[in-house]
Amino acid sequence: PICREPGSVLRRMVSPEGADARTHYEVLEEGGGRSLVRLQLETGRTHQIRVHFSHLGHPLCGDFMYGQEIEGMKGCALHSCAITLTQPSTGEPLAFTVPDPPVFARLLERML
């Protein structure tokens, strides 16, 4: 469960008093002190992925709020390569995929 961190407008934290939040993950590769993971979200809480991984002791690469920034990288290493949803008016299932951004290739090179 995730709730707002006391005294902060932005930061969130894992807390029994928080709203239900579920993130499933699978480790795909490991190396260089980093891991590449595939995620599936059951819920969509603010900062959910960032909060869950920071809570586990594995903040996202480049996450200035829950981990640490990486020189030469803008933002955290988080990318949605595929999303599926239901079109609300028609009920039609929709699926979209996009390639990984170039910064991911550079991070993966550092891992291996």
Side-chain angles (χ1 to χ4, degrees), residues 75-96:
C76 58
L78 183 60
H79 171 64
S80 179
C81 64
I83 186 169
T84 57
L85 50 99
T86 303
Q87 206 288 338
S89 299
T90 66
E92 176 187 5
L94 302 172
F96 304 93

Side-chain angles (χ1 to χ4, degrees), residues 34-53:
R34 296 186 172 104
S35 299
L36 176 65
V37 298
R38 174 178 290 135
L39 304 166
Q40 183 174 358
L41 301 177
E42 274 190 47
T43 56
R45 304 287 174 219
T46 301
H47 300 180
Q48 179 173 323
I49 297 167
R50 298 165 70 191
V51 170
H52 279 167
F53 277 85

Side-chain angles (χ1 to χ4, degrees), residues 25-72:
Y25 69 94
E26 173 188 8
V27 177
L28 301 177
E29 291 185 46
E30 295 178 273
R34 296 186 172 104
S35 299
L36 176 65
V37 298
R38 174 178 290 135
L39 304 166
Q40 183 174 358
L41 301 177
E42 274 190 47
T43 56
R45 304 287 174 219
T46 301
H47 300 180
Q48 179 173 323
I49 297 167
R50 298 165 70 191
V51 170
H52 279 167
F53 277 85
S54 177
H55 179 76
L56 292 171
H58 303 286
L60 302 181
C61 293
D63 188 349
F64 73 93
M65 191 175 295
Y66 298 99
Q68 65 182 34
E69 293 181 89
I70 294 177
E71 189 175 329

